[in-house]
């Protein structure tokens, strides 16, 4: 059997008539950038996420960059974040001339360890970007408390976490900004690059909208320098259709995660992802750990199962960040996670047989290892 890590074709097959009609409407309108389709999606998205405003932008990366620009981040500033995330989180900070300051992760959920943040704060700390990795909220409560006291803005990287929650907190709604990505492999995926910024702050919302179109206000008059961070109407139309299905898809991902948990309970040599009590993990990725990860990955590849390592090299060890001066061993939990993590197929359209097959192959491998 072949089980790919992700099969977007199955999702499209289930919604083709609606998607095609929505795209055709945009094509017939000839209104391709921003406009009514984007405005409509922004309203729907804000309602879904439980936030005052949503601003559609060109990607999750641009959501981070525009948000950092809106809080005034620039050269000489420090921004605290996690070293165990997709590159864009720290890349956005560095591209504005600011310094990423890394804080190690909590191995329980792969997210920034909030208890280490206090000692990383200096007078130059101008923002913090916690990431809700793989679809589970980080420990946002203490981060909000700590930063509120010191007036440090929180920009949540919720690129992988649309619809996730923890207690009363919903992804992307606790800081001044919540950044979403609609990269095709995300739970809500566009037909290309797209993203959004969530906010409850009226002033921040107005700034972002100006920054999105090169800082123009009014048109052709530039009080500030922004960028082309605009969202395409075709992407917004696709996203509006898909947003209507997102809850059902998330429930299916959660059911698939439960099935893996049931099937893999007690399998030696494999650690399953923890779902924190009271948290709604949306499983953009279902990430297991194994000390013999590379062997397991090879076994699954040979069995026709697609897997991926998110992420093989923590950001403090990336060549482009050598100038920051972090030594290997300085972020031990992130480094260990990078050696052990493996993402399994988790998309909503997976069949029971496929999940059983993946789990059975993991057991075959675990039994072989136990016999060694
Ligand atoms: C945690 C995280 N941050 C930022 C991004 C950047 O989003 P995009 O690829 O839409 O630019 C992504 C997605 O790829 C991500 O997973």
């Amino acid at each position: 059997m072949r089980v790919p890590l992700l099969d977007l074709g199955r999702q499209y097959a289930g919604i083709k008539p609606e998607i095609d009609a929505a795209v055709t409407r945009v094509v017939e309108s000839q209104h391709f950038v921003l406009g009514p389709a984007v405005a409509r999606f922004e309203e729907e998205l804000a309602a879904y996420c439980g936030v005052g405003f949503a601003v559609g932008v060109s990607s999750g990366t641009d959501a981070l960059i525009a948000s950092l620009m809106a809080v005034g981040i620039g050269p000489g500033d420090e921004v605290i974040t996690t070293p165990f995330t997709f590159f864009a989180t720290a890349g956005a900070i560095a591209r504005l001339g600011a310094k990423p300051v890394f804080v190690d992760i909590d191995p329980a959920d792969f997210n920034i360890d909030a208890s280490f943040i206090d000692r990383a704060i200096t007078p130059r700390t101008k923002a913090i970007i916690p990431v809700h990795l793989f679809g589970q909220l980080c420990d946002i409560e203490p981060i909000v408390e700590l930063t509120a006291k010191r007036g440090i803005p929180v920009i949540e990287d919720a690129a992988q976490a649309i619809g996730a929650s923890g207690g009363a907190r919903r992804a992307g709604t606790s800081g001044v900004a919540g950044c979403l990505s609609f990269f095709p492999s995300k739970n809500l995926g566009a037909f290309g690059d797209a993203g959004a910024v969530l906010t409850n702050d009226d002033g921040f919302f107005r700034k972002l909208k100006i920054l999105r179109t090169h800082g123009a206000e009014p048109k052709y008059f530039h009080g500030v320098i922004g960028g082309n961070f605009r969202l395409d109407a075709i992407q917004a139309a696709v996203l509006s259709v898909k947003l209507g299905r997102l809850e059902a898809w998330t429930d299916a991902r959660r059911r698939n995660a439960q099935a893996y948990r049931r099937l893999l309970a007690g399998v030696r040599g494999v650690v399953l992802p923890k779902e924190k009590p009271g948290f709604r993990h949306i499983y953009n990725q279902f990430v297991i750990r194994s000390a013999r990860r590379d062997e397991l990955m090879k076994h699954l590849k040979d069995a026709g199962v697609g897997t991926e390592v998110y992420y093989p090299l923590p950001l403090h060890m990336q060549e482009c960040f050598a100038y920051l001066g972090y030594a290997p061993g300085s972020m031990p939990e992130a480094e260990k996670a990078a050696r052990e993590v493996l993402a399994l197929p988790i998309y909503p359209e997976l069949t029971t047989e496929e999940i059983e097959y993946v789990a059975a192959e993991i057991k075959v491998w675990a039994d072989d290892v136990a016999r060694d």
Side-chain angles (χ1 to χ4, degrees), residues 119-263:
R119 69 185 90 141
I121 294 175
T122 76
R124 289 179 300 281
T125 305
K126 293 292 153 50
I128 169 158
I129 309 185
V131 181
H132 308 305
L133 203 68
F134 304 142
Q136 180 158 236
L137 236 62
C138 74
D139 208 0
I140 191 81
E141 204 70 51
I143 296 176
V144 169
E145 268 172 38
L146 183 72
T147 50
K149 261 189 267 162
R150 300 170 190 243
I152 299 170
V154 175
I155 295 170
E156 290 176 72
D157 183 338
Q160 300 183 6
I162 186 168
S165 61
R169 301 257 176 207
R170 297 169 75 172
T173 67
S174 296
V176 68
C179 300
L180 301 178
S181 165
F182 305 123
F183 184 76
S185 64
K186 298 295 194 275
N187 288 27
L188 180 64
F191 280 6
D193 280 308
V197 181
L198 310 175
T199 187
N200 279 312
D201 182 321
D202 191 54
F204 183 86
F205 167 68
R206 274 187 272 120
K207 257 193 218 163
L208 258 185
K209 286 192 80 162
I210 293 168
L211 286 168
R212 177 169 70 173
T213 46
H214 294 288
E217 174 66 2
K219 213 172 174 183
Y220 306 123
F221 291 84
H222 301 260
V224 293
I225 300 168
N228 173 0
F229 302 135
R230 298 175 305 231
L231 177 61
D232 288 345
I234 284 179
Q235 302 304 347
V238 167
L239 290 165
S240 277
V241 172
K242 288 195 177 191
L243 187 59
R245 313 287 175 107
L246 186 59
E247 276 301 283
W249 289 337
T250 299
D251 288 344
R253 283 174 183 268
R254 290 178 53 73
R255 278 197 302 277
N256 293 346
Q258 279 309 107
Y260 276 132
R261 286 185 195 288
R262 206 174 52 246
L263 294 162

Side-chain angles (χ1 to χ4, degrees), residues 76-101:
D77 295 338
E78 293 178 1
V79 179
I80 294 173
T81 193
T82 162
F84 196 60
T85 174
F86 179 62
F87 180 79
T89 316
I93 299 166
R95 277 179 61 191
L96 292 177
K99 180 179 169 190
V101 173

Side-chain angles (χ1 to χ4, degrees), residues 34-71:
L34 299 178
V38 170
R40 184 181 143 205
F41 171 63
E42 289 173 336
E43 260 180 46
E44 294 165 346
L45 181 67
Y48 176 82
C49 294
V51 77
F53 310 99
V55 179
V57 295
S58 31
S59 68
T61 304
D62 286 343
L64 289 164
I65 289 177
S67 298
L68 287 165
M69 288 172 83
V71 299

